Amino acid sequence: MPTPVVMPQMGESIAEGTIVRWIKKVGDSVDRDEPLFEISTDKVDAEIPSPASGVLTEITAHEGDTVAVNSVVATIAAEGEAVAPAPPPEAPPPAAKAAEQAAASTQPRPQKSSPLVRRIAREHNVDISRIAGSGIGGRVTKHDIMGFLGGDQGPEARGQRSEVRSQKDTAVSAPSPLTSGVGPLASGTVEIQPMSVMRKKIAEHMVLSRRTSAHVHSVFHVNFSRIDRIRQQKKAEYEQVGAKLTYMAFIAKAVVDALRRHRIVNASLDGGNVVYKNDINLGIAVALETGLIVPVIRNADEKNVLGLTRAIADLAERSRSKQLGPEEVQGGTFTITNPGQSGAQFGMPIINQPQVAILGVGTIEKRPVVVDDAIAIRTMAYLTLGFDHRLIDGAVADQFMADVKHQLENFDINQV
């Protein structure tokens, strides 16, 4: 009996996924659990395994299509099994179709949306029913609401005007936040390529974060000389157990210990309420060829340096091979990003919503510094805290960073 292949549910709030590419084509033999196609969602990119062994006989959703979860996207038949093509749907009689359209235009229907879209609407005082949805079944997507907000710079987008445009006006006039304000192309030879699904979602997430949080940054210069010495002493010991001891593991340890003592930095905002998190779920940004992903180390404060070293390496490897599950990129409470791995002195990172702070790590290198009125060479780096000034004051942010700096500069070798 043929086996239908469906779009999987990649997380509780995920309603649809975009097919990035088919790894197999019609006529190919496939084994059970062999990668079949690749999808991209709001949360994660992933390769989807085949639900059965056999031959891929039909593909009904193509690359670039956005499909609702549990929709059939392909069919797998057993070797030698014939599959009858599905009959085309019968078109309704003209009179019935006209009546259907008339009923649809006169009877308002509740607008479908995801929890993320509803949260954005709540924060910006937007009535979702006024937005024309472009998703499956008229679902209002994150792209739709960001387009609505991005295309209206007046008080309406902030919920301060009582009159709201009609759905038709919104759909026609609200430009995408990715294209609004773009002037004519420069003269000369150009190459135009569509943005990848991941790139679009990153762009939307970054615009949303800038709109949501009052971003402020504080930069600290940190002496990593002690960490460098500990790394050299413990390097061989870690390699014996299959782990590579990196600076990031020490930074992660110092951060999670400081988050225990400064709970507000690990919190989030929900309307007028402050949500204090008892768990410390540490996001570590991983650069991919197509963009950036932030897998999460759950209960990071329960791990020692070796545990953090292994967790960071494992998540980075599986991020690049697209083997992460949806639950592994959700629920983060604080994020570390590392622009310094490419040589940047420091960065000004954008907060990963709904978190309220993010740490950027600059390049770690030897520099001349003043020590006891003399010039000395030390291993130094700039650490930058980006924080949401709606919740975190500058003094609190600096206290947190001073705590991280102190622990790194006086790291206890017995913790390693």
Side-chain angles (χ1 to χ4, degrees):
M1 183 176 178
T3 302
V5 180
V6 301
M7 176 64 71
Q9 176 94 39
M10 299 296 288
E12 185 179 352
S13 64
I14 302 298
E16 58 193 16
T18 300
I19 295 178
V20 177
R21 69 183 178 105
W22 280 95
I23 300 170
K24 298 290 186 178
K25 61 180 184 296
V26 172
D28 285 353
S29 296
V30 295
D31 294 326
R32 182 181 177 86
D33 295 328
E34 184 180 7
L36 191 59
F37 62 104
E38 184 182 329
I39 69 168
S40 182
T41 72
D42 282 351
K43 300 294 185 184
V44 67
D45 283 6
E47 292 181 350
I48 305 305
S50 173
S53 298
V55 176
L56 183 61
T57 57
E58 183 183 21
I59 291 176
T60 56
H62 303 285
E63 293 179 0
D65 289 353
T66 299
V67 182
V69 299
N70 298 323
S71 297
V72 176
V73 298
T75 302
I76 294 174
E79 293 282 354
E81 183 180 21
V83 179
E90 293 184 7
K97 187 174 181 181
E100 242 177 58
Q101 291 174 343
S105 62
T106 57
Q107 296 180 1
R109 293 180 297 173
Q111 203 75 321
K112 299 177 182 177
S113 61
S114 69
L116 172 62
V117 169
R118 292 194 292 274
R119 181 173 64 80
I120 297 171
R122 187 170 63 250
E123 289 175 352
H124 293 273
N125 296 319
V126 173
D127 183 357
I128 295 180
S129 66
R130 302 293 184 176
I131 303 175
S134 63
I136 303 297
R139 176 180 295 275
V140 177
T141 67
K142 184 167 70 172
H143 179 79
D144 295 330
I145 194 165
M146 292 305 298
F148 179 83
L149 293 171
D152 186 351
Q153 304 301 324
E156 175 191 349
R158 300 186 296 270
Q160 297 174 2
R161 192 167 72 201
S162 60
E163 189 175 341
V164 182
R165 293 177 298 179
S166 68
Q167 289 187 20
K168 180 178 178 182
D169 290 341
T170 303
V172 171
S173 65
S176 163
L178 308 184
T179 59
S180 59
V182 176
L185 292 174
S187 60
T189 303
V190 298
E191 180 181 353
I192 300 176
Q193 294 182 352
M195 294 174 73
S196 68
V197 174
M198 174 177 278
R199 189 74 259 163
K200 286 180 181 177
K201 294 184 185 304
I202 291 172
E204 291 169 359
H205 194 62
M206 295 300 97
V207 170
L208 170 64
S209 184
R210 279 294 191 187
R211 286 184 177 278
T212 302
S213 296
H215 279 72
V216 182
H217 293 86
S218 184
V219 183
F220 275 58
H221 205 191
V222 179
N223 186 344
F224 277 82
S225 298
R226 178 170 176 79
I227 298 295
D228 190 45
R229 289 194 298 272
I230 295 174
R231 281 186 69 233
Q232 297 306 319
Q233 293 175 31
K234 296 287 186 176
K235 183 178 179 181
E237 182 181 326
Y238 269 59
E239 288 176 350
Q240 288 177 358
V241 294
K244 183 179 179 181
L245 186 57
T246 65
Y247 288 112
M248 183 57 73
F250 290 94
I251 296 169
K253 178 60 176 170
V255 164
V256 296
D257 287 350
L259 287 172
R260 280 202 201 114
R261 295 185 284 269
H262 305 269
R263 295 184 64 215
I264 194 71
V265 185
N266 195 55
S268 66
L269 279 172
D270 182 12
N273 298 319
V274 180
V275 181
Y276 290 93
K277 311 291 179 62
N278 293 323
D279 297 330
I280 296 177
N281 299 330
L282 186 65
I284 304 290
V286 178
L288 308 177
E289 290 183 4
T290 54
L292 190 74
I293 194 168
V294 185
V296 175
I297 303 172
R298 298 197 174 277
N299 302 117
D301 55 322
E302 297 177 2
K303 298 182 182 296
N304 58 16
V305 174
L306 177 59
L308 289 169
T309 299
R310 286 174 166 163
I312 292 168
D314 172 62
L315 289 176
E317 181 180 350
R318 290 193 293 115
S319 295
R320 296 186 178 105
S321 60
K322 299 181 179 177
Q323 299 300 314
L324 292 175
E327 70 284 353
E328 294 180 292
V329 292
Q330 300 182 48
T333 59
F334 185 92
T335 295
I336 300 176
T337 184
N338 186 16
Q341 64 185 346
S342 299
Q345 293 294 303
F346 54 84
M348 298 294 177
I350 297 175
I351 297 166
N352 187 14
Q353 297 295 323
Q355 299 165 26
V356 293
I358 182 171
L359 184 75
V361 180
T363 189
I364 301 174
E365 61 185 4
K366 290 185 176 180
R367 296 177 191 147
V369 294
V370 177
V371 178
D372 296 330
D373 293 332
I375 300 296
I377 303 298
R378 296 289 186 268
T379 301
M380 306 292 295
Y382 292 105
L383 300 185
T384 303
L385 183 72
F387 59 97
D388 189 342
H389 212 333
R390 296 179 305 163
L391 182 60
I392 301 174
D393 291 330
V396 175
D398 289 345
Q399 289 164 12
F400 171 79
M401 286 298 290
D403 194 344
V404 172
K405 174 184 170 74
H406 180 269
Q407 184 166 341
L408 288 170
E409 294 182 343
N410 300 275
F411 208 94
D412 184 356
I413 194 170
N414 295 319
Q415 288 187 294
V416 184

